[in-house]
Amino acid sequence: MDDVEKAILISFEESGAIDSALKSQALSFCQQIKETPTACRICIEKLCFCNLVQVQFWCLQTLHEVIRVKYAMLSLQEKDFIRKSVFSMCCFEVIDDKNNNAVRILEGAPAFIKNKLALVFVTLVYFDYPLIWSSVFVDFLPHLRKGAVVIDMFCRILNALDDELISLDYPRTPEEMGVAGRVKDAIRQQCIAQIVNVWYEIVSMYRNSDLDLCSSVLESMRRYISWIDIGLIVNDAFIPLLFQLILVSGGSEQLQGAAAGCILAVVSKRMDHQSKLAILQNLQINRVFGLVTGDIDSELVSKVAALITGYAVEALECYKRVNTEDAKGVSLELLNEVLPSVFYVMQNCEVDTTFSIVQFLSCYVATMKSLSPLREKQLHHVGKMLEVICAQIRYDPIYRDNLDMLDKIGREEEEKMVEFRKDLFVLLRSVARVAPDVTQMFIRNSLVSCISSVSERNVEEVEASLSLLYALGESLSDEAIKTGSGLLSELVPTLISTRFQCHFNRLVALVYLETITRYIKFVQEHTECVPMVLTAFLDERGIHHPNFHVRRRASYLFMRVVKLLKAKLVPFIESILQSLQDTVTRFTSLNHTSNDFSGSEDGSHIFEAIGLLIGMEEVPSEKQSDYLSSLLTPLCHQVETLLINANALSPEESPVKIANIQQVIMAINALSKGFSERLVTTSRPAIGAMFKKTLDVLLQILVVFPKIQPLRNKVTSFIHRMVDTLGASVFPFLPKALGQLLAESEPKEMAGFLVLLNQLICKFSTSVHDIVEEVFPAIAGRIFSLIPTEPFPLGHGTNSEEIRELQELQKTLYTFLHVIATHDLSSVFLSPRSRDYLDKMMQLLLQSACHHEDILVRKACVQIFIRLIKDWCTRPDVEAKVPGFRSFIIDGFAKNCCFYSALDKSFEFHDANTLILFGEIVLAQKVMYEKFGDGFLIHFVTNCFTTAHCPQDLAAQYCQKLQGNDMKALRSFYQSVIENIRLRQQQNGNLVFR
């Protein structure tokens, strides 16, 4: 070995046995060779005389890189030498036949060496064919007589040419597309007929002796069928040969599959649809139908399945595109012939995703709409589709226990099935729209079959039938469900009255309840079904099911059902409450640690349902009070007991007790949702008194557990609820509640506190003036000590949880200030205790109005200034309520926000939100002129327009527009002024704005 070979071998060494310094030196040496002008000659020389695969690979890789990057810079002699050398290597020749040590690179070379050589060959084709190297393919063909080694190389070259240049499966640059077109045109004109003849001869010659070689040839041929003359393949020689290869008994599955791939390429080739139809008709595709019944895991079955599906897709496309009735009839016959095999494939085979049978069937169903009413054959196909859908959506019984217990395996299987079913249910709904009677009858028969079965082994069948009925509901209008169109008037009552033998199974129970809920609008119109629905939800099929996952979901669905049925349930309230007594007791008992109501779908849904029931005005007043008291009293007692004993709790007990209190608050909160403000404050104040007493009890939680954030959040949520429920009668409780919430609040809690105040202000406006005025100084002091006056930092390490919480707090603060200003409460800012924070607030608002990254925040800040100007400044000749406010607005807000911020290049007029902000900025100028008069106008023009070198005529027009009453014209003109100044500054190279 010489130094070059040694260096290459060392550079490829990965065992760790080579010293790192030596390896680095070897890599550097190899790189130097790549950069020498004679790199190509060195590589070709090594390829001629060295049979070490590492050296061969490195040389081919280097050749490829040099040709790809530097080929245009090489001399004509160098290019000619490279072409001849690479061509000789690919044709199994030695370059230097005078040297006894010369080697043939293809002799015993591994596949990756041959593929790399093919890549180098194709790169030369890219640059030189057909203008310079015009006869490359014609010259190659005679060498194929040398046998399998050259034929194999030729296939690799054709495959590489397709991968690197021709195939549209990969993204191509416009330049590559142009070269591809040039190469294809030349091949078509010059030699494609000869290549096709060679393919035929090779396959015919080697079909019994070298099956792998034949498969390689056919795989290469498949790639080219899409763009060559189809008559070269579809003829009396090639098509019979391909079918012979497919149908040969006991043959090579690889060869059979390759032949099937070629037929699929013929079928899928783009062409005139009348011509395509003739080809499809003459193929006699039914000859391969029997092959899909073999081993479903075999490659052959997969290939034939893809062929059948592709054939069906093209037959349907022909039906849609041909114009004559005769042609449509032929297409329909072909579809009728192939569809049974498509259904078999769908049910039994794994098909390549390229040919999605479900999508094809959806297209088929949509196309068959034109045959309304459907003919007998199409109705038969629709029925088979439903059978296949029903079979496909069934779970494998092997996972039954996993799914019922919902362990890790069960969860994964359920997630997979949910995803798998999506397209199938889309198909089902399409079928239901085209053939509603057939679909409903199929589902009815499926359901009746499940009901009549006494076996518990049909879990998957029952679940699938119920799922079909559920999915059917998504294709029906509310009106169709209400009236019970078709068989629904039979199906829904049958459903809600049924107790399946396998109802204990989690999946069956869940889909059963979901399906009832889906069709609840039918029950609304057919009140005779109400008792059966209640029974289904309240017995062991629902809320009393042995599986807690089912109980939890049943509680939520029952709440939804109650919302919809509501008044129709009044006669059943007593029996409902009695049925739920054990559930309520379980939830309200001390030391409740069950996981029945853990997670998002917790026991509060039961209380919300009860609240919706007993909160109706149709319920007699006395009864309503009794119902509510029987629920609130034990819940409040539980909280009081826990609060009294809070100090005596051990560290082990505290988390459990706190969780108990959280659950109680959620229950009471949910219960209150059923009671309207009018009912509890006007028509039945005794109900309001109960909720006030409850609120008083729950507020004690903030005193006893001032730093337990989950409890504070739950109490805050309940206060929100009571503001809506109790209305103004909640006022006496607010000072205590707000004081406790404000005392220990962290940034995240402070944001929630501001949201509560926003609710109070939006609901009661100036009625809460004293409350807001009382808490505002503490809020301002707390927030201004937390958030920075400058913009938040950007870049690495600035997206921490703490920063995000402060950003959220600042955003909520802007909303809070906006709500105060726009609800006639701006005097709050001027109270003696609040004035200390006025300057900080103004500076923050001005900074944000000019520069905040969120345009909507900037708009809110501008609107706040507009409102403050209106509130605090009366007339031009009267001093503002706040000394210095007028000069701050004119010198600060008007100049920086209304002028310079709009000049900044980040102010994008093409953005809709920015245009809205700009409208507010223009409105602010109008308001400032009305409140400050000509003094504002002179100051604004002098300090802004003149400073920015705006033409005098534009400034004069601006004054005129501002003094007028056409806001739309003012906004349009001011935008043109800003754009004019921007353009001037850009031309002058002055892009820096204040």
Side-chain angles (χ1 to χ4, degrees):
M1 286 190 291
D2 59 19
D3 289 344
V4 175
E5 294 169 6
K6 289 177 182 177
I8 294 171
L9 290 176
I10 292 171
S11 69
F12 276 98
E13 177 59 51
E14 297 294 339
S15 67
I18 300 294
D19 179 70
S20 59
L22 180 61
K23 184 170 183 177
S24 178
Q25 188 180 353
L27 288 168
S28 177
F29 182 69
C30 290
Q31 186 61 35
Q32 289 174 18
I33 296 172
K34 283 186 180 181
E35 294 170 1
T36 60
T38 58
C40 291
R41 285 191 174 272
I42 293 172
C43 289
I44 290 171
E45 181 184 344
K46 290 298 169 191
L47 289 168
C48 291
F49 300 107
C50 182
N51 56 11
L52 295 170
V53 291
Q54 297 96 322
V55 175
Q56 290 177 340
F57 182 83
W58 186 89
C59 290
L60 289 170
Q61 178 72 24
T62 301
L63 263 181
H64 177 242
E65 290 178 13
V66 172
I67 294 169
R68 190 167 51 85
V69 177
K70 300 178 181 178
Y71 193 65
M73 295 181 281
L74 299 178
S75 67
L76 294 177
Q77 293 83 358
E78 191 76 8
K79 290 179 181 177
D80 188 54
F81 172 72
I82 294 171
R83 282 195 297 270
K84 287 180 178 178
S85 300
V86 171
F87 186 82
S88 296
M89 287 185 236
C90 290
C91 294
F92 200 52
E93 294 182 341
V94 293
I95 297 172
D96 187 357
D97 54 5
K98 297 176 183 177
N99 193 317
N100 294 329
N101 295 322
V103 299
R104 291 181 173 88
I105 191 172
L106 296 184
E107 196 165 24
F112 68 88
I113 294 293
K114 295 176 184 177
N115 290 337
K116 185 61 73 172
L117 178 58
L119 183 61
V120 173
F121 189 101
V122 167
T123 308
L124 291 170
V125 169
Y126 180 95
F127 287 110
D128 289 347
Y129 180 78
L131 300 178
I132 297 170
W133 203 11
S134 58
S135 62
V136 54
F137 294 109
V138 174
D139 292 343
F140 202 111
L141 294 177
H143 291 278
L144 297 177
R145 298 192 190 96
K146 295 176 182 176
V149 66
V150 181
I151 295 170
D152 173 74
M153 192 63 210
F154 188 60
C155 291
R156 292 178 192 275
I157 289 170
L158 293 179
N159 293 348
L161 184 64
D162 183 60
D163 287 336
E164 298 300 317
L165 188 59
I166 296 173
S167 173
L168 296 178
D169 292 340
Y170 309 99
R172 307 290 186 196
T173 65
E175 179 189 355
E176 289 171 336
M177 294 287 284
V179 174
R182 183 189 76 208
V183 169
K184 288 195 292 185
D185 288 344
I187 291 176
R188 284 193 197 101
Q189 183 179 358
Q190 187 186 52
C191 57
I192 192 60
Q194 294 171 260
I195 292 174
V196 172
N197 285 335
V198 165
W199 284 335
Y200 180 83
E201 291 172 5
I202 293 170
V203 173
S204 300
M205 182 182 301
Y206 287 94
R207 59 185 290 187
N208 296 318
S209 58
D210 196 334
L211 303 182
D212 290 342
L213 184 67
C214 288
S215 299
S216 297
V217 170
L218 292 178
E219 285 292 346
S220 296
M221 185 177 93
R222 175 189 60 79
R223 294 166 174 253
Y224 285 71
I225 290 174
S226 65
W227 57 269
I228 66 176
D229 178 7
I230 194 63
L232 295 171
I233 306 297
V234 179
N235 51 49
D236 293 339
F238 232 129
I239 293 297
L241 173 62
L242 291 173
F243 273 100
Q244 286 172 22
L245 295 174
I246 296 172
L247 297 170
V248 63
S249 178
S252 162
E253 286 199 353
Q254 184 182 356
L255 181 56
Q256 289 176 284
C262 290
I263 297 292
L264 177 56
V266 169
V267 166
S268 305
K269 183 175 172 66
R270 293 176 61 182
M271 65 179 80
D272 169 72
H273 286 91
Q274 194 67 47
S275 303
K276 171 71 72 69
L277 184 59
I279 290 176
L280 296 181
Q281 193 174 14
N282 291 331
L283 283 179
Q284 301 174 39
I285 200 71
N286 57 3
R287 290 179 282 176
V288 305
F289 290 168
L291 296 178
V292 293
T293 59
D295 180 5
I296 62 172
D297 294 324
S298 74
E299 183 180 349
L300 173 62
V301 170
S302 176
K303 294 276 189 179
V304 175
L307 170 58
I308 289 171
T309 307
Y311 181 93
V313 168
E314 295 301 325
L316 178 61
E317 197 62 26
C318 287
Y319 176 84
K320 289 157 63 176
R321 303 296 180 188
V322 294
N323 298 318
T324 67
E325 286 303 314
D326 287 346
K328 282 188 176 294
V330 171
S331 303
L332 210 54
E333 287 176 14
L334 296 180
L335 280 168
N336 290 337
E337 181 183 42
V338 75
L339 274 170
S341 291
V342 171
F343 295 140
Y344 182 88
V345 166
M346 182 179 175
Q347 196 161 347
N348 297 282
C349 306
E350 292 289 335
V351 184
D352 193 298
T353 53
T354 310
F355 305 101
S356 171
I357 294 181
V358 175
Q359 290 179 349
F360 157 69
L361 292 177
S362 294
C363 291
Y364 173 81
V365 171
T367 306
M368 290 305 109
K369 284 181 183 178
S370 61
L371 290 179
S372 182
L374 295 182
R375 300 170 189 171
E376 183 179 349
K377 202 72 175 175
Q378 279 68 53
L379 288 172
H380 172 74
H381 293 323
V382 164
K384 292 300 293 183
M385 263 183 239
L386 293 170
E387 287 179 21
V388 173
I389 292 170
C390 189
Q392 288 287 91
I393 65 171
R394 285 181 194 165
Y395 282 95
D396 190 331
I398 196 172
Y399 297 111
R400 184 181 298 173
D401 291 340
N402 303 101
L403 288 160
D404 197 37
M405 294 183 293
L406 201 60
D407 58 15
K408 183 176 182 293
I409 295 173
R411 269 192 292 271
E412 290 174 356
E413 193 62 25
E414 189 168 16
E415 287 169 6
K416 279 196 295 186
M417 181 59 84
V418 168
E419 192 61 34
F420 176 70
R421 284 179 170 182
K422 285 179 181 177
D423 289 338
L424 289 167
F425 283 156
V426 169
L427 175 59
L428 173 72
R429 292 191 289 271
S430 298
V431 172
R433 282 188 285 269
V434 175
D437 295 340
V438 174
T439 306
Q440 290 188 23
M441 180 58 75
F442 177 84
I443 294 174
R444 176 210 173 266
N445 293 341
S446 176
L447 205 59
V448 168
S449 172
C450 293
I451 293 169
S452 61
S453 173
V454 295
S455 170
E456 294 183 359
R457 290 179 296 177
N458 67 338
V459 169
E460 290 72 29
E461 183 184 346
V462 172
E463 194 276 337
S465 295
L466 290 171
S467 295
L468 288 179
L469 181 55
Y470 176 86
L472 174 68
E474 294 187 320
S475 67
L476 301 174
S477 66
D478 285 350
E479 190 59 32
I481 293 176
K482 281 181 182 179
T483 58
S485 65
L487 292 173
L488 286 183
S489 56
E490 175 190 347
L491 277 170
V492 178
T494 300
L495 170 74
I496 58 182
S497 62
T498 298
R499 295 172 185 265
F500 294 102
Q501 289 292 320
C502 55
H503 227 122
F504 62 87
N505 180 271
R506 181 185 69 87
L507 284 178
V508 171
L510 285 175
V511 72
Y512 176 78
L513 296 172
E514 296 280 2
T515 307
I516 291 178
T517 308
R518 165 71 70 191
Y519 291 96
I520 204 66
K521 284 185 170 60
F522 175 88
V523 180
Q524 279 182 303
E525 300 299 314
H526 301 79
T527 52
E528 70 276 8
C529 294
V530 170
M532 290 188 289
V533 168
L534 290 175
T535 302
F537 272 97
L538 296 172
D539 66 16
E540 68 282 354
R541 288 172 289 176
I543 290 170
H544 290 93
H545 194 278
N547 186 297
F548 82 91
H549 293 291
V550 176
R551 292 197 295 272
R552 191 170 63 184
R553 185 65 177 167
S555 300
Y556 168 73
L557 293 175
F558 180 64
M559 179 267 293
R560 282 179 51 192
V561 166
V562 170
K563 271 186 180 178
L564 288 167
L565 297 181
K566 224 167 180 187
K568 292 180 173 58
L569 300 178
V570 172
F572 306 98
I573 289 178
E574 290 279 1
S575 59
I576 292 172
L577 293 178
Q578 191 172 357
S579 295
L580 294 175
Q581 186 61 45
D582 60 334
T583 305
V584 170
T585 302
R586 223 171 37 243
F587 191 85
T588 56
S589 62
L590 284 169
N591 300 319
H592 172 65
T593 57
S594 168
N595 62 356
D596 275 17
F597 305 117
S598 60
S600 58
E601 296 175 322
D602 50 56
S604 62
H605 293 311
I606 287 293
F607 284 87
E608 185 172 348
I610 293 172
L612 291 166
L613 284 169
I614 67 175
M616 291 185 283
E617 295 208 18
E618 291 85 348
V619 178
S621 175
E622 189 175 332
K623 285 267 189 187
Q624 193 173 56
S625 295
D626 289 343
Y627 292 149
L628 185 59
S629 177
S630 68
L631 291 160
L632 288 181
T633 300
L635 289 169
C636 289
H637 177 70
Q638 184 173 342
V639 173
E640 288 171 328
T641 303
L642 288 167
L643 292 178
I644 291 170
N645 299 321
N647 293 330
L649 293 178
S650 67
E652 295 78 20
E653 291 177 310
S654 285
V656 175
K657 301 304 181 185
I658 288 169
N660 287 152
I661 296 175
Q662 282 182 256
Q663 287 182 309
V664 170
I665 301 171
M666 286 190 293
I668 297 173
N669 200 346
L671 188 65
S672 67
K673 292 179 182 179
F675 294 83
S676 67
E677 181 181 344
R678 192 182 68 80
L679 184 137
V680 304
T681 60
T682 305
S683 60
R684 297 177 184 177
I687 300 295
M690 290 188 203
F691 280 116
K692 290 176 191 176
K693 183 178 179 182
T694 303
L695 177 59
D696 196 39
V697 171
L698 296 189
L699 288 178
Q700 295 301 314
I701 295 170
L702 299 176
V703 179
V704 178
F705 297 105
K707 295 184 179 181
I708 306 298
Q709 189 173 337
L711 287 180
R712 292 169 64 85
N713 292 342
K714 291 293 184 292
V715 173
T716 302
S717 177
F718 184 64
I719 296 170
H720 277 291
R721 170 53 46 196
M722 288 300 98
V723 169
D724 283 337
T725 305
L726 295 174
S729 61
V730 80
F731 280 14
F733 300 92
L734 292 177
K736 176 182 177 181
L738 297 178
Q740 290 293 333
L741 288 173
L742 189 57
E744 301 285 347
S745 57
E746 295 298 323
K748 192 172 182 179
E749 285 183 293
M750 178 62 78
F753 181 76
L754 294 183
V755 171
L756 175 59
L757 286 175
N758 288 343
Q759 181 195 18
L760 290 167
I761 296 169
C762 291
K763 186 172 179 67
F764 301 114
S765 194
T766 54
S767 299
V768 292
H769 175 277
D770 293 345
I771 294 173
V772 177
E773 185 176 88
E774 178 65 27
V775 298
F776 184 79
I779 292 171
R782 181 89 175 110
I783 291 178
F784 286 126
S785 69
L786 290 170
I787 60 173
T789 53
E790 296 298 317
F792 284 97
L794 300 173
H796 180 69
T798 60
N799 194 30
S800 64
E801 182 68 24
E802 182 182 359
I803 294 291
R804 287 196 296 271
E805 286 183 4
L806 290 176
Q807 287 173 328
E808 185 61 32
L809 175 59
Q810 187 191 67
K811 199 170 181 179
T812 311
L813 172 65
Y814 295 130
T815 305
F816 176 55
L817 298 176
H818 187 270
V819 168
I820 290 177
T822 54
H823 285 79
D824 300 315
L825 291 171
S826 63
S827 59
V828 165
F829 302 139
L830 304 181
S831 70
R833 291 170 54 221
S834 298
R835 277 183 179 265
D836 293 340
Y837 303 102
L838 189 58
D839 183 59
K840 282 186 177 180
M841 184 179 81
M842 290 300 160
Q843 293 299 333
L844 177 66
L845 289 173
L846 179 58
Q847 172 75 19
S848 300
C850 296
H851 306 296
H852 201 283
E853 61 180 13
D854 188 335
I855 293 294
L856 297 179
V857 168
R858 292 172 70 173
K859 182 193 76 170
C861 293
V862 173
Q863 289 175 334
I864 292 170
F865 277 120
I866 292 172
R867 193 57 188 255
L868 295 181
I869 294 167
K870 289 180 178 179
D871 288 355
W872 294 353
C873 305
T874 52
R875 299 195 311 273
D877 56 337
V878 178
E879 180 58 47
K881 291 181 182 179
V882 183
F885 179 69
R886 179 183 298 182
S887 60
F888 169 79
I889 290 296
I890 294 175
D891 293 335
F893 173 69
K895 182 172 69 174
N896 294 308
C897 178
C898 297
F899 187 72
Y900 283 113
S901 74
L903 275 180
D904 193 282
K905 60 184 177 182
S906 65
F907 199 94
E908 181 53 70
F909 283 108
H910 295 296
D911 176 65
N913 285 330
T914 304
L915 280 177
I916 295 171
L917 167 62
F918 187 71
E920 296 295 333
I921 286 173
V922 174
L923 175 61
Q925 295 170 52
K926 184 70 175 174
V927 171
M928 285 187 283
Y929 174 70
E930 291 172 352
K931 295 296 183 181
F932 304 145
D934 291 338
F936 159 73
L937 201 53
I938 294 167
H939 196 282
F940 190 63
V941 169
T942 303
N943 285 278
C944 297
F945 284 61
T946 305
T947 305
H949 306 293
C950 177
Q952 287 290 331
D953 61 323
L954 289 182
Q957 287 182 63
Y958 167 76
C959 294
Q960 184 182 357
K961 299 281 186 187
L962 187 64
Q963 292 166 332
N965 295 316
D966 190 341
M967 283 298 298
K968 187 175 180 181
L970 173 61
R971 186 167 59 249
S972 177
F973 179 76
Y974 190 56
Q975 181 177 338
S976 68
V977 169
I978 294 295
E979 290 173 338
N980 182 282
I981 297 173
R982 276 187 184 181
L983 182 61
R984 287 171 176 273
Q985 292 187 334
Q986 188 174 1
Q987 290 170 345
N988 295 332
N990 180 16
L991 297 177
V992 180
F993 303 111
R994 299 184 188 183

